[in-house]
Amino acid sequence: MSESDALRGESIRGEAVRREAVRPTRRTVLAAAAAAAAGAVALPAAPATASAAASKTPAAAAATAAATTPADLAPYASYWFPDSLPEGAPGPGIVWRSLKRWTPQGDPDLAHNSATVPLAPRFTPVPPHPGARTGQARIASLVSFGPTAQNPSQGSATADYYALTHWAYIDELVFWGGSSGEGIVLAPNAPVVDAAHRNGVRVLGNVFLPPAAYGGDLRWTRDLVQRDSLGRFPIAEQLVRVASAYGFDGWFVNAETEGGDSELASLMRQFLRALRAAGEPHGLRITWYDAMNTTGRVGWQGALNELNQEFFEDRAGRVADTMFVDFRWTPQTLAASGALADRLGRSRHELWAAVDTESHGWNSAVRWDAIIPRGRDHIVSYGFYRPEWTRNHLTDRSPGAFHRADDRFWTGASLDPSRPAPEDTWRAPATAVADRSTVAALPFACSFNTGHGERWYEDGEVASDTPWNHLGLQDRLPGRRWVVDTAGQRPAVTLDFARAWRGGSSLLVAGPLTAPAAVGLHATRLPLTRSTVIELVHATEAGPVAVEVGVATREPAAPGEPVPYTWLRAESPGTGQAWRRSRVGLSALAGKTAYGLAVRITGLGKRAVAWRLGSLSVRDTAAGRRPASPAALTVDASARHEDQARLRLSWRRAAGPVRHYTVSRVLPDGSRRFLGGTCGAALYLPAVPRAGREPAAVFEVRAVDELYAASAPARTAMPW
């Protein structure tokens, strides 16, 4: 990498974070506009607040953080300074907080920010691409899902959101952000963690000690590594408390503030050891960013070497679980880094080589052979810096346009990982890294919901016409998008937002079918019994079709080989766009394991077809019990202006397994309108209009299980 490129790598992080602090919050504007236009809201918007701006001193700002007032009910993702606060007063909508003074008991937003989905175990199926490797390079992803301040805790009323779905290729996700004007310790919001955990991906919070050029202050580094009178590191203990209370998996530590010395570097290493030791009982991980070195100075190495290895592994053993190697790497430094990791007794794949995609996405110039050569073992792992370029660079920010771009980023220009496009400058993850899955137990269901949409559907009907996003409501989607096997013309296969059975999207197969087309869906490890059934909810919108379900009872012999499906005929959905349920029994496969699921579509005429799959489920019984109901639904706080209210709801969790909860409004005519959903037990509603002259607004919350069966509701009312 040239010196100019290296300097750009140095500045890109600070500049990106600075922009997050000052850019116009377009998401907020869209959310507010959508809510106003609809007269009701699907999920929490991000209303601008200025309560913190009135604070005149850091002490006053800290006091503001401890209180939730009717004037500011909206919960946001949490951010802090380690201990001391900046001089002056925070900007509008920003609240300065001291992490040292944080307690779970004093956190008014804890119920809104706590993830509840446990980290799912993963397995690695035989890859569909002949070049994808198992057990070698992995991928970390550094993503800014929103601004540091006023990043909604639980989604918002816009579909314009980085709804990441390609979890199958990611090992670790960092909730990127932070700035000297807002806060430099960030905890990820609950929807991101819940979606990641459902797919077996760890999520790390971010500790960002910024360069002085972007407002960094060395006292914050010293605050971070301070010791108490007993020699303990109180901020390390606080970081563990936060991660445990909020339900995420560890911390990315990035010390880029200049001016330190070897004594400070030694304290930082001891701090990392204390953080790792305190977090180990909770399964927490640490990733160290290649910036500060053992002299205490900031000197990005672009390598694991003698100047930074003690932050990764010292003579006493492991210090950090992984290291993010700065953009300055070269083929020589990565090769040397891998060799040094080997000598230290560590895996070379615990090193993430930084790949900058913020500005150019798949047009980025990357020396791939230095990381993941085609003809030999991978050198190290790699980490994407800001892959949300797939959304940010678009002029059409509709959900469909975003997913088309995101699929190209992760799968490649062919949009089929089993049939790669001719090699170009972009080496898509699906062509190098084996995908992974968590679909290993019954029951299993997928309604192809991406976690955002223009409307919310329930049983094929519109339950809210307000745009929304909430990653915690996302399904476990097919990891290989899209493997299509046909002897004829390949149809288009997309996640489509025009109609859905449940959530905001469905799977659409469209185009001429000159031969049967098999679409691979989930890689699985599902035990089959005599009572196991597969159920499809599907519709034909153009051209009559025959539909079959594919179940693979063994894996391919080698990467790139086709999956050996057994094909079973499903009832035709007919024509006329009506949704139809088709159930297929698997008793003939009892005692075997399903290693993969697919559908095969055959056109029955000469017309182009449009076939939509709204839901796929696999279960051991034809019908299960409804889940137990939540209880004690309560309006915790509300604020009203004329005939509109915003409020916080909470409830007691239902007994037994629950996938998520849905919250609805019961209108005076008895109809229900979907307001939002969450995996937790609390939800903020930013805009509830009065319906006519109703004396009270009536709310219901239902528990939803893995097959999307809903419980009987818990109810409460808010008088007007």
Side-chain angles (χ1 to χ4, degrees):
M1 186 177 290
S2 69
E3 182 178 356
S4 61
D5 285 339
L7 290 173
R8 187 175 65 84
E10 174 181 344
S11 64
I12 191 170
R13 296 177 301 279
E15 176 62 15
V17 171
R18 186 187 66 81
R19 285 202 308 272
E20 293 292 353
V22 302
R23 70 181 183 181
T25 54
R26 182 171 182 268
R27 301 170 68 256
T28 303
V29 173
L30 288 172
V41 67
L43 282 166
T49 61
S51 59
S55 303
K56 301 300 182 184
T57 65
T64 301
T68 299
T69 67
D72 184 15
L73 297 179
Y76 299 110
S78 295
Y79 55 94
W80 302 268
F81 292 93
D83 187 0
S84 57
L85 304 178
E87 299 299 325
I94 298 169
V95 179
W96 287 343
R97 306 171 176 90
S98 167
L99 177 60
K100 189 174 182 180
R101 292 165 177 76
W102 176 87
T103 64
Q105 299 81 3
D107 186 339
D109 296 337
L110 182 63
H112 297 267
N113 282 325
S114 296
T116 58
V117 176
L119 182 66
R122 311 171 97 179
F123 61 89
T124 306
V126 175
H129 190 289
R133 310 284 179 81
T134 299
Q136 295 194 27
R138 300 174 295 163
I139 299 174
S141 193
L142 276 60
V143 177
S144 175
F145 288 92
T148 296
Q150 294 193 318
N151 186 348
S153 295
Q154 292 185 12
S156 58
T158 174
D160 180 10
Y161 189 75
Y162 180 63
L164 170 62
T165 59
H166 286 276
W167 302 104
Y169 302 106
I170 300 173
D171 191 73
E172 177 177 294
L173 183 135
V174 176
F175 194 77
W176 182 256
S179 77
S180 58
E182 298 165 293
I184 58 176
V185 180
L186 277 73
N189 60 21
V192 170
V193 180
D194 285 332
H197 280 186
R198 195 170 278 129
N199 291 278
V201 176
R202 293 181 176 88
V203 181
L204 305 188
N206 192 27
V207 179
F208 174 56
L209 299 161
Y214 301 104
D217 190 327
L218 197 62
R219 66 180 166 138
W220 295 330
T221 305
R222 299 191 187 281
D223 284 349
L224 185 74
V225 302
Q226 65 183 273
R227 306 185 84 152
D228 64 16
S229 59
L230 298 177
R232 299 172 302 194
F233 291 89
I235 303 302
E237 295 176 2
Q238 285 291 78
L239 290 171
V240 171
R241 287 191 192 102
V242 167
S244 299
Y246 284 18
F248 59 93
D249 306 291
W251 293 95
F252 183 96
V253 182
N254 178 10
E256 295 195 83
T257 309
E258 304 90 334
D261 53 23
S262 59
E263 182 181 357
L264 184 61
S266 178
L267 275 172
M268 178 64 77
R269 180 174 54 82
Q270 295 173 63
F271 164 82
L272 293 175
R273 277 199 159 281
L275 176 58
R276 191 169 181 278
E280 192 168 19
H282 305 277
L284 303 185
R285 293 165 61 91
I286 301 169
T287 293
W288 172 256
Y289 183 74
D290 162 29
M292 175 188 278
N293 59 46
T294 53
T295 69
R297 294 190 292 271
V298 174
W300 301 271
Q301 299 298 299
L304 172 68
N305 61 23
E306 67 280 358
L307 278 174
N308 59 25
Q309 74 174 56
E310 288 194 357
F311 297 110
F312 179 64
E313 179 91 8
D314 65 12
R315 281 170 289 185
R318 186 180 295 254
V319 178
D321 295 283
T322 57
M323 176 185 281
F324 201 86
V325 177
D326 183 71
F327 302 93
R328 290 162 176 76
W329 59 261
T330 67
Q332 294 74 28
T333 63
L334 289 187
S337 298
L340 177 54
D342 293 342
R343 293 197 300 273
L344 292 171
R346 297 286 295 274
S347 169
R348 57 175 55 228
H349 301 302
E350 292 171 349
L351 303 176
W352 314 108
V355 175
D356 172 21
T357 58
E358 181 190 24
S359 299
H360 301 292
W362 57 66
N363 297 314
S364 301
V366 183
R367 285 170 291 183
W368 292 111
D369 284 342
I371 311 172
I372 47 172
R374 287 293 193 215
R376 53 196 175 92
D377 285 348
H378 294 161
I379 308 303
V380 292
S381 295
Y382 59 105
F384 287 129
Y385 177 74
R386 308 296 300 276
E388 70 273 18
W389 172 89
T390 56
R391 164 185 172 263
N392 295 344
H393 84 287
L394 297 172
T395 53
D396 173 6
R397 298 268 282 259
S398 65
F402 159 69
H403 286 286
R404 286 190 293 273
D406 209 49
D407 286 353
R408 180 180 173 186
F409 182 96
W410 292 95
T411 300
S414 71
L415 302 180
D416 185 337
S418 69
R419 290 172 173 79
E423 193 71 67
D424 59 15
T425 58
W426 181 248
R427 195 166 292 181
T431 69
V433 177
D435 59 301
R436 284 170 287 179
S437 173
T438 63
V439 184
L442 297 178
F444 165 70
C446 174
S447 62
F448 304 95
N449 178 23
T450 61
H452 66 159
E454 302 289 356
R455 291 162 292 278
W456 179 272
Y457 292 83
E458 292 180 357
D459 296 336
E461 300 294 332
V462 176
S464 170
D465 56 6
T466 303
W468 63 279
N469 70 79
H470 191 297
L471 283 188
L473 304 180
Q474 183 185 91
D475 287 320
R476 284 183 289 177
L477 295 162
R480 304 166 170 187
R481 300 212 291 277
W482 297 94
V483 175
V484 179
D485 185 16
T486 181
Q489 183 175 343
R490 186 187 192 277
V493 183
T494 58
L495 293 167
D496 185 75
F497 295 81
R499 290 178 68 200
W501 174 251
R502 182 174 293 104
S505 48
S506 57
L507 172 63
L508 180 65
V509 181
L513 281 185
T514 57
V519 180
L521 297 177
H522 295 83
T524 64
R525 292 289 188 274
L526 299 176
L528 305 178
T529 70
R530 288 189 171 277
S531 61
T532 306
V533 297
I534 293 180
E535 184 175 272
L536 306 179
V537 178
H538 52 147
T540 300
E541 297 180 357
V545 299
V547 180
E548 297 165 279
V549 174
V551 180
T553 55
R554 58 184 176 86
E555 287 208 272
E561 295 292 319
V563 179
Y565 294 109
T566 297
W567 295 102
L568 305 167
R569 187 69 180 264
E571 184 181 3
S572 170
T575 57
Q577 301 193 17
W579 293 103
R580 179 185 292 273
R581 292 180 186 269
S582 299
R583 187 171 298 156
V584 178
L586 303 182
S587 59
L589 305 178
K592 299 182 178 181
T593 297
Y595 289 93
L597 303 174
V599 290
R600 186 163 67 184
I601 315 301
T602 302
L604 301 179
K606 296 184 178 180
R607 296 173 54 199
V609 307
W611 176 80
R612 192 178 296 274
L613 180 57
S615 177
L616 165 75
S617 61
V618 189
R619 58 194 179 199
D620 262 339
T621 55
R625 282 182 166 184
R626 295 172 72 182
S629 299
L633 178 59
T634 304
V635 177
D636 295 322
S638 64
R640 303 172 207 173
H641 179 68
E642 296 180 347
D643 282 345
Q644 184 159 281
R646 43 202 170 96
L647 61 148
R648 291 187 176 205
L649 294 172
S650 69
W651 52 90
R652 191 164 63 243
R653 297 184 66 88
V658 173
R659 187 190 188 279
H660 64 257
Y661 297 89
T662 59
V663 176
S664 300
R665 172 93 178 273
V666 182
L667 297 171
D669 62 4
S671 63
R672 291 171 51 241
R673 182 177 180 82
F674 174 82
L675 296 180
T678 177
C679 298
L683 190 65
Y684 168 68
L685 303 176
V688 177
R690 188 175 186 180
R693 304 310 301 167
E694 64 176 353
V698 179
F699 303 99
E700 292 183 341
V701 61
R702 287 173 167 79
V704 178
D705 68 13
E706 286 295 326
L707 292 172
Y708 301 97
S711 72
R715 281 195 174 196
T716 194
M718 181 195 69
W720 289 105

